[in-house]
Amino acid sequence: MAPISTDYLVTGMTCGHCVASVIEEVSLVPGVSAVTVDLVAGATSTVHVTSAAAPGVADIRAAIDEAGYQLQGPAA
């Protein structure tokens, strides 16, 4: 099965520490194999999540909340 890549829009991140926190928390969601972030400091950043199956938005939202930021939703 080919991995699935899903993008999420997140606000509130301003620096590399923010990115590291989001990567750490989202990486803990079951099934997630990779996380990268395109940081737009002080605006809406894009979090790229690679997984075997699409993770639940609630799980991603909980992970991003735990990191201290706000999920705006999946990218269109």
Side-chain angles (χ1 to χ4, degrees), residues 2-54:
I4 296 171
S5 182
T6 309
D7 295 338
Y8 298 91
L9 302 177
V10 176
T11 56
M13 293 190 286
T14 59
C15 65
H17 181 267
C18 304
V19 170
S21 295
V22 167
I23 288 172
E24 179 180 349
E25 293 298 331
V26 175
S27 294
L28 296 175
V29 173
V32 171
S33 58
V35 180
T36 60
V37 175
D38 290 334
L39 176 66
V40 181
T44 302
S45 299
T46 303
V47 177
H48 308 278
V49 176
T50 303
S51 56

